[in-house]
Amino acid sequence: MVWSAAEPIDLHSRPAELARAYLESCQLSVFGRPNVYPGAVAAAPEPSLENQVGCLYATKRPEATFPAYYGTLYARITELIVSDKSISAGGCYTRIGRAEVETHEPDTTSATAQEFSFTADLPDGSIDPRRNVNRTARPGSGTRAPQFDVFYPWKFRAVPWGTPQPAEGPPNNRDCARWAASLVDQVPAFSGQKPFTSTGRSATLTPRMFGERGFPTFPQTPAWPSP
């Protein structure tokens, strides 16, 4: 994954680290609970009939078969609201930079963006052991995923069913869609193509090359530091 953030958000801050871990673990959760990040299960809200299914881990074995991908998933943190006891984050990600391992087909053929948001709370009496540590991997080091519990001791709030979603306008009027459109030229398979139609809708892109040439796998950015 390659991350960016709106000004003045620091990608290496503790709140941003939680946001990165949240989305990355959610992306892995479709492959089953053993593949999520350490601590995701303990940090996730309990599933219930009143709340939406959380994405930090799979509550049961996925019924569908999910393909494996190569390439790069891009994500961006757009908002962080931080207090001593809670963190609320918002952002978006796009699948434009990856393709299926077996078929080499693009995961998507439009510069669309999916949004994510969460609120996490620090339990009473808890001290965050990563609050004051150096969270930046040393040059030449770092890993694709954290090898430690990056969530502890934060707990993510459940989202009730029926929570209102913000109204959406045409894609070219939404910040996340415009951000995803700006990445088209960074994906060799789609470079040079227009991301929007004349009416402001997401255009259908045509892959002009496949494999790693078309969908290169870039280094994890930021990389996860050693424990």
Side-chain angles (χ1 to χ4, degrees):
M1 292 192 68
V2 171
W3 283 89
S4 62
E7 293 289 346
I9 295 172
D10 177 6
L11 279 175
H12 298 283
S13 67
R14 179 55 171 148
E17 182 183 58
L18 278 175
R20 292 189 283 116
Y22 172 86
L23 182 61
E24 291 182 19
S25 193
C26 283
Q27 292 299 301
L28 292 169
S29 68
V30 297
F31 300 104
R33 188 180 297 192
N35 297 291
V36 300
Y37 284 176
V41 175
E46 289 292 331
S48 71
L49 295 177
E50 293 78 22
N51 299 320
Q52 298 181 31
V53 178
C55 67
L56 273 178
Y57 72 93
T59 55
K60 60 181 180 179
R61 183 179 297 277
E63 296 178 0
T65 300
F66 291 88
Y69 299 101
Y70 61 87
T72 302
L73 195 70
Y74 296 91
R76 182 171 178 83
I77 303 173
T78 58
E79 182 181 40
L80 283 176
I81 301 173
V82 182
S83 70
D84 290 341
K85 290 292 186 178
S86 70
I87 293 172
S88 294
C92 39
Y93 63 97
T94 180
R95 308 190 314 270
I96 191 176
R98 71 182 188 180
E100 293 187 20
V101 170
E102 291 188 3
T103 65
H104 298 291
E105 289 296 317
D107 189 16
T108 181
T109 54
S110 62
T112 55
Q114 291 74 43
E115 298 185 16
F116 71 92
S117 63
F118 67 81
T119 296
D121 298 299
L122 188 67
D124 291 339
S126 298
I127 297 176
D128 188 346
R130 294 190 59 75
R131 182 177 59 183
N132 297 316
V133 303
N134 182 4
R135 289 174 292 273
T136 304
R138 297 188 309 275
S141 67
T143 59
R144 159 65 185 84
Q147 307 301 308
F148 54 92
D149 187 343
V150 70
F151 299 105
Y152 180 83
W154 292 86
K155 304 291 185 181
F156 289 80
R157 292 184 193 175
V159 178
W161 289 109
T163 301
Q165 299 298 315
E168 294 187 351
N172 65 344
N173 287 339
R174 300 200 296 268
D175 289 341
C176 281
R178 289 198 296 267
W179 162 76
S182 72
L183 298 170
V184 169
D185 287 339
Q186 296 186 35
V187 181
F190 300 127
S191 181
Q193 300 182 51
K194 294 181 178 180
F196 297 119
T197 67
S198 58
T199 60
R201 301 295 175 183
S202 297
T204 299
L205 306 174
T206 302
R208 294 174 177 169
M209 60 181 71
F210 295 88
E212 279 285 339
R213 290 182 60 230
F215 301 91
T217 302
F218 293 115
Q220 178 79 10
T221 307
W224 291 95
S226 300

